[in-house]
Amino acid sequence: MKKGTSLAGIELGPKRFTAAVGQMEEGRLRIQAVDSVPAQGFEKEGLSDPIECADGVARLLRQTERAVGEKIPAAVIAFPANHLKSANASATIPIPEPGAGITRQDVEKVISTCRTLSLEYDRKILHAFERGFTVDGQSGVRNPVGLSGRKLVVELHLVTALSLTVQNLSRVINRSGLEVDDFVLPGVACGEAVLSDLDRDLGVTLVRIGDFLTEAVLYNDGEVRETFLIPGGMDDLAEHLSRTLRLPRVAAERLLGQVSSLEERPDGNSVPLQAGPAGPARSIPEPQVVQLVRHRCRELLQKLRRRLATSPIFLDCASGVVMVGSLARLEGFLEMAEEFLNVPVRLGAVKEVELSPGFDLRQQDVTAVGLLRYGMRRRMISVQPAALTGWLKPLERFRQVLQEYF
């Protein structure tokens, strides 16, 4: 990738659109700008008004381009998680020459076969993660190239989206003046931002608590092995407060924003929380609100624990659980999660980036930064020269010698 070529990572949410812009400098990601605008034309269910949504993205694009001082041609987009479906799939092919060993072409063929046989006619594959290979009944093979065998089996974890939804979202992004570089699962993007290579190698579970859904991405041996979604998030908490305390939804969200800890204080030391904007406002004791929030958090963690208990990969996650999201920043939430999941739990923080002077990253920017890093990683891989074979190797070596001495 040429020096000076910037890329954007954009997360479209029902409350805000967020973009992170950056470029690679000497193998390190430098964040040039992070900005957000109020969402428009995009609801909980997805696109509600494509023209308004395109205008919102274009406004966000103009703000970030003014900040970096150059035009941004393309962006990696977080695909709305509620439109995604994940499933495990497998396929088998015979090896024509068992004694000669399995080739890279055989591996590509079995993966392509699995993708084709498992894909529904109206869906598009966004991610195809390799879970492992089996050669003549020997499972747990990570790289079968060079092994002798008669039968090759691959297991994939597929993340798919409706083809028409992909087309509609692509059209909106293009209308705003951007080219779609890739669509990415938001949880996978967060993993790019907050996880180290050691975390992925040892095995780790990333949990992203969003507004409406909670995503889990399970890593082992350096790769994604499983993903899933469960309902619940910050918006679910606000809805619970609104119904229980009989408050308008806006007031319930404002009330939730004033809660900074899940630790219950003695009644004598409680601080009233204001549920109204200005003028006469209803005051609600903090212990009452905290108790309601704690109860809902416990329900969310119980659902997460039940789902993780069904995954054999979770048992191999030696690095424990990494959580991101506004809910995870509440004091006492991580301790509650450790109690429920019975593994170490820590808050995810963006790693190994350089920030341009003048701004700091917020928790709500993690996904956009992860999208940017994902896109940069893919671009760096794509520009690496392909491996040369046969008689081309001596020619390439001769060319390098000429460049070195002349």
Side-chain angles (χ1 to χ4, degrees), residues 181-220:
D181 200 77
D182 210 345
F183 285 115
V184 181
L185 180 68
V188 172
C190 287
E192 289 285 337
V194 305
L195 298 180
S196 65
D197 292 338
L198 181 60
D199 287 331
R200 299 185 186 92
D201 290 338
L202 294 178
V204 65
T205 298
L206 178 106
V207 177
R208 176 184 181 268
I209 305 176
D211 292 327
F212 306 97
L213 291 171
T214 295
E215 303 173 58
V217 183
L218 288 78
Y219 295 79
N220 199 6

Side-chain angles (χ1 to χ4, degrees), residues 102-130:
I102 297 172
T103 65
R104 187 61 204 171
Q105 288 73 20
D106 295 326
V107 174
E108 293 174 355
K109 180 180 179 181
V110 73
I111 292 176
S112 176
T113 301
C114 185
R115 291 169 60 104
T116 302
L117 295 178
S118 305
L119 184 61
E120 301 175 26
Y121 75 95
D122 60 342
R123 302 192 71 85
K124 176 181 175 62
I125 295 177
L126 298 186
H127 298 287
F129 301 112
E130 297 176 8

Side-chain angles (χ1 to χ4, degrees), residues 363-383:
Q363 186 68 21
Q364 66 191 48
D365 302 330
V366 171
T367 303
V369 172
L371 291 167
L372 178 58
R373 173 170 281 165
Y374 181 94
M376 288 296 183
R377 186 194 295 265
R378 293 288 297 270
R379 284 190 172 189
M380 291 180 66
I381 293 175
S382 66
V383 299

